[in-house]
Amino acid sequence: ARLMSETAHDLRSPLTTVRESIRLIRNGDAGAVAPEQHVYLVSAMDQCDCMFQMIGEMVQLERLRTGTPRVDRKWVAISEIRKSIDETLRPWALPREIDVLWDIMLDPATLVYADVAMLRRLVVNLATNEIRVTPEKGVVLVQLQRSGSAGGIRWSVIDRGRGIKRKDLQRISERGVSLGGGEGLGLLISRQLAAL
């Protein structure tokens, strides 16, 4: 975790250079930009911002692991969180024509008390995993419903992939275990974010 935190810290400088270069092009400092190009440049900058957030989480990975994270909770509408998640997932879903659908079993204007960045990252981590295993032109469902009598809300990400064998469920929640050939970092962070 310490090595990942230190490595992530070193990624900030080159990413800042990439984002600033995109911003200059978007603003027309390197010549005229067509409207359709502008859309892609804005999307690229948004993804740079998401990468900054991921880097921030990796820098804080040791804090997440030891249970001393910085959590910034506030009241925010579900609709606002949904918009942020949809914008982040679009570049993942569009190339494979995956529809990300929402089944919100309560008023979208409902306010939740949460760390918006953590919640968005958690849902995005899970949804991008689902997009990877969903057949082209398939559907990934994000479902929200009331949970328990304390007023909590359960967020679920559902796909129609091949599923996970019962014997593998425990393994994938362990550090560094991935059934998809990755490093398992996304699921490690997801589990810790969910706990928070």
Side-chain angles (χ1 to χ4, degrees):
R2 186 169 60 249
L3 175 62
M4 296 198 80
S5 294
E6 291 169 358
T7 302
H9 186 273
D10 291 341
L11 292 173
R12 283 178 167 161
S13 292
L15 182 58
T16 299
T17 302
V18 170
R19 190 188 189 284
E20 182 62 14
S21 298
I22 294 170
R23 187 189 67 77
L24 290 171
I25 295 170
R26 182 205 64 183
N27 291 349
D29 293 352
V33 176
E36 58 271 19
Q37 292 172 318
H38 188 270
V39 170
Y40 287 114
L41 291 168
V42 168
S43 179
M45 288 185 65
D46 288 343
Q47 292 309 303
C48 284
D49 291 340
C50 290
M51 289 175 66
F52 274 117
Q53 182 182 333
M54 284 188 268
I55 287 170
E57 289 170 1
M58 291 172 71
V59 169
Q60 295 298 323
L61 186 58
E62 182 65 15
R63 284 181 182 265
L64 282 172
R65 192 182 66 77
T66 59
T68 57
R70 294 180 187 142
V71 180
D72 181 23
R73 293 183 182 91
K74 64 180 180 180
W75 289 102
V76 61
I78 288 172
S79 56
E80 183 180 329
I81 299 170
R82 174 184 175 171
K83 180 182 177 197
S84 174
I85 291 170
D86 279 338
E87 289 171 356
T88 305
L89 290 177
R90 190 172 297 116
W92 293 89
L94 278 178
R96 301 188 57 239
E97 299 181 62
I98 304 289
D99 284 328
V100 178
L101 304 179
W102 290 73
D103 181 14
I104 302 176
M105 301 181 190
L106 54 158
D107 184 348
T110 299
L111 298 179
V112 294
Y113 189 62
D115 184 310
V116 178
M118 283 189 179
L119 181 55
R120 183 188 66 77
R121 189 70 215 133
L122 172 58
V123 175
V124 166
N125 268 354
L126 296 175
T128 52
N129 279 347
E130 309 315 321
I131 288 168
R132 286 189 197 103
V133 301
T134 297
E136 284 194 16
K137 300 184 180 179
V139 171
V140 169
L141 178 67
V142 181
Q143 186 180 74
L144 279 69
Q145 60 186 356
R146 295 262 179 222
S147 175
S149 58
I153 297 173
R154 175 179 295 162
W155 297 65
S156 305
V157 182
I158 303 163
D159 70 84
R160 294 180 180 265
R162 67 180 185 270
I164 301 170
K165 294 176 182 174
R166 187 173 296 277
K167 67 183 179 66
D168 291 329
L169 283 174
Q170 180 60 37
R171 287 182 54 231
I172 64 170
S173 67
E174 296 169 1
R175 186 173 74 183
V177 174
S178 170
L179 301 181
E183 298 301 322
L185 176 62
L187 291 176
L188 169 64
I189 291 175
S190 293
R191 184 178 188 186
Q192 292 165 338
L193 292 175
L196 294 169

